Amino acid sequence: PAPTVGSLRVVNSHCNPINQLYVSPASSGTWGADQLPGTIAAGSSFTLTSVPAGTYDVKAVATDGVYWTAYGISITSGGTYTWSLYMPSGTGCLKVVNSSSYTIGYLYTPFSTLGCSSGLWGSDQLGVQTIPSGYTFTLSNVGQGYRDLKANQLSGTLYWYSCSVYITAGQTYTW
């Protein structure tokens, strides 16, 4: 007999892993259960098989909370629908590697001349997150251009900074 199911292939072209995937019949009004058994690493893909042929709404969520949605995609019998997840146009990512023995509690990324030259560091980009000693943290959707970077120890007394680093759209800068 002819197949009555198809597949959904999700390609992660973002800098952070995807840790949630929802596939719901179109216009159902609810996302239902997470369909992802693990994570989709940056630069990798995952294929959800045995999806009944039909029209679906899909949602993927990255580990940093960034999400993508697509509505009304068609899964055909015996076919595979490929859904690619990209960074927004004009943005890149900043990967912070904490090689110190301290926990980083604050991260600032203003455009150059605002931080290093003017002392205007703006708002903290970590929110409730911290970067423990020996860990990394990747901040996504950072606007392309020259940036001043500053990381403060959790207590705020010790800090590290770099001036005029260039964030390239679609790329990850490691600091």
Side-chain angles (χ1 to χ4, degrees):
T4 59
V5 296
S7 299
L8 170 66
R9 180 174 181 251
V10 180
V11 179
N12 183 5
S13 297
H14 192 7
C15 59
N16 279 318
I18 304 300
N19 65 349
Q20 296 172 48
L21 175 65
Y22 301 95
V23 181
S24 299
S27 305
S28 71
T30 180
W31 286 113
D34 180 5
Q35 300 295 308
L36 200 57
T39 61
I40 308 171
S44 297
S45 66
F46 168 78
T47 302
L48 182 64
T49 58
S50 300
V51 179
T55 305
Y56 292 88
D57 297 338
V58 293
K59 179 178 180 179
V61 183
T63 55
D64 64 350
V66 171
Y67 67 91
W68 298 259
T69 54
Y71 298 96
I73 67 162
S74 180
I75 303 293
T76 59
S77 293
T80 299
Y81 182 91
T82 299
W83 186 35
S84 295
L85 309 176
Y86 294 101
M87 291 180 236
S89 179
T91 67
C93 294
L94 171 65
K95 180 178 181 179
V96 179
V97 179
N98 185 358
S99 57
S100 77
S101 59
Y102 302 97
T103 296
I104 294 173
Y106 306 93
L107 176 65
Y108 304 95
T109 63
F111 282 106
S112 285
T113 73
L114 291 177
C116 290
S117 298
S118 303
L120 303 172
W121 290 100
S123 59
D124 171 38
Q125 299 298 303
L126 289 181
V128 297
Q129 300 286 331
T130 62
I131 311 171
S133 176
Y135 284 80
T136 64
F137 176 84
T138 302
L139 181 65
S140 64
N141 303 341
V142 179
Q144 177 174 299
Y146 286 98
R147 298 282 184 155
D148 292 342
L149 307 177
K150 181 179 178 185
N152 285 58
Q153 174 192 6
L154 191 56
S155 69
T157 57
L158 184 63
Y159 62 90
W160 304 265
Y161 68 93
S162 290
C163 302
S164 296
V165 301
Y166 194 78
I167 304 295
T168 303
Q171 303 292 316
T172 299
Y173 180 88
T174 300
W175 181 49

